[in-house]
Amino acid sequence: RMSWTLTAACPPSAAQAFASLDAVFALAGERIARDPLSEVIRVEVDGLRYYVKRYHGAGKNPLRLWFGRPRVQAEWENLLAFQAWGIPTAQVVGYGLERRFGAFARGALITAELRGTADLGHLARSQDARLRDRRWVATVSAQVADAARRMHAHRFAHNDLKWRNLLVDADARLYLIDCPSGEYWSGPFLRYRIVKDLACLDKVAKYQLSRTQRLRFYLDYAQQPHLDAADKRRIRHILRFFAGRE
């Protein structure tokens, strides 16, 4: 059984190239990344560029072949959720998967290129001057805080909220990308995952930003003018989360 969907973000000029899952797996393009489960290629159609992620496996857990969401399905559903929650992300153009005898066989996700963007991880590694611009940092930091707060308010944790998955464009607009591991949680599991998300962000921030900037991020996230006792406890957990694991 095969399912394939083109969204309203797919222009008519690209509809034929992305017409079916078979067509998507037949595409040739520039290889961007590859691992044992998936590959990412970049293709150009009528002057516009797209990222095509093709999965040949369901994920690290073999049970995903039969039960739960395959990784590719989680990725497109999470990106569509971001759009519904008002979190800027890459436009989903097409998505779908094939099952054989009930087991996951293959799947694909197509997103439109976010032109003129760079990920925050790259900016940190290259010592980009924008990270020394307090106004620029404040603008981007507030957007990261807003995106994290929106996710967590929906009981959703990204689970890989690293600087490399945060893109910024020339106008300092932020976009979240690449979220196949995101899941919904509740109770203590949600609280743990929230701390993990915030600790992932701070893992690089503590080397790139001042303590004042990091505090400003947390206050923006918590939407509070000052830290209360619960905030201080959470911050201690965030700071200790990766202790001994770096």
Side-chain angles (χ1 to χ4, degrees):
R1 185 170 60 88
M2 191 181 302
S3 65
W4 181 249
T5 300
L6 292 180
T7 73
C10 182
S13 58
Q16 183 174 354
F18 306 146
S20 67
L21 195 61
D22 285 335
V24 170
F25 270 84
L27 289 170
E30 176 190 359
R31 178 173 289 163
I32 303 299
R34 185 175 188 178
D35 62 36
L37 293 176
S38 66
E39 65 175 350
V40 180
I41 63 170
R42 184 165 56 200
V43 300
E44 184 170 323
V45 181
D46 198 30
L48 298 176
R49 298 204 294 187
Y50 303 87
Y51 287 89
V52 179
K53 193 165 191 176
R54 301 186 288 209
Y55 278 86
H56 307 274
K60 295 179 182 178
N61 185 347
L63 292 177
R64 281 182 180 266
L65 285 172
W66 300 93
F67 307 106
R69 292 191 301 175
R71 194 172 173 87
V72 65
Q73 182 178 352
E75 188 158 4
W76 83 59
E77 288 181 349
N78 292 344
L79 293 183
L80 292 173
F82 288 173
Q83 293 178 11
W85 299 336
I87 298 173
T89 187
Q91 285 288 327
V92 176
V93 172
Y95 59 88
L97 56 79
E98 180 182 5
R99 289 185 179 274
R100 295 173 188 160
F101 306 106
F104 175 83
R106 61 178 181 165
L109 166 67
I110 304 173
T111 56
E113 180 186 40
L114 290 166
R115 291 191 174 186
T117 58
D119 71 79
L120 291 183
H122 172 74
L123 298 190
R125 290 190 302 274
S126 62
Q127 299 182 328
D128 194 281
R130 284 172 285 186
L131 291 172
R132 310 280 81 83
D133 181 336
R134 291 187 176 275
R135 183 175 298 179
W136 187 91
V137 168
T139 298
V140 173
S141 176
Q143 293 174 78
V144 178
D146 180 72
R149 184 177 61 253
R150 287 173 185 258
M151 284 192 296
H152 296 160
H154 286 88
R155 299 184 296 104
F156 181 91
H158 189 287
N159 206 43
D160 195 28
L161 195 55
K162 297 175 181 175
W163 280 40
R164 70 178 182 226
N165 291 327
L166 302 172
L167 302 186
V168 288
D169 65 15
D171 297 316
R173 287 188 294 254
L174 178 89
Y175 304 88
L176 264 68
I177 62 164
D178 201 14
C179 184
S181 302
E183 294 281 358
Y184 295 88
W185 303 89
S186 61
F189 302 103
L190 175 62
R191 290 192 291 273
Y192 173 84
R193 294 290 171 170
I194 286 174
V195 167
K196 181 180 180 181
D197 276 357
L198 299 179
C200 280
L201 291 172
D202 197 57
K203 197 173 183 180
V204 176
K206 67 184 179 183
Y207 297 112
Q208 298 294 327
L209 308 180
S210 69
R211 292 182 67 179
T212 300
Q213 289 171 322
R214 292 159 67 202
L215 176 60
R216 181 71 262 163
F217 164 80
Y218 184 86
L219 292 173
D220 285 342
Y221 168 82
Q223 291 188 307
Q224 295 182 180
H226 306 288
L227 299 177
D228 61 21
D231 291 320
K232 291 177 182 178
R233 283 195 301 272
R234 178 188 274 167
I235 287 173
R236 286 195 294 271
H237 292 155
I238 291 167
L239 296 177
R240 292 199 302 259
F241 192 87
F242 289 110
R245 289 189 276 173
E246 295 187 72

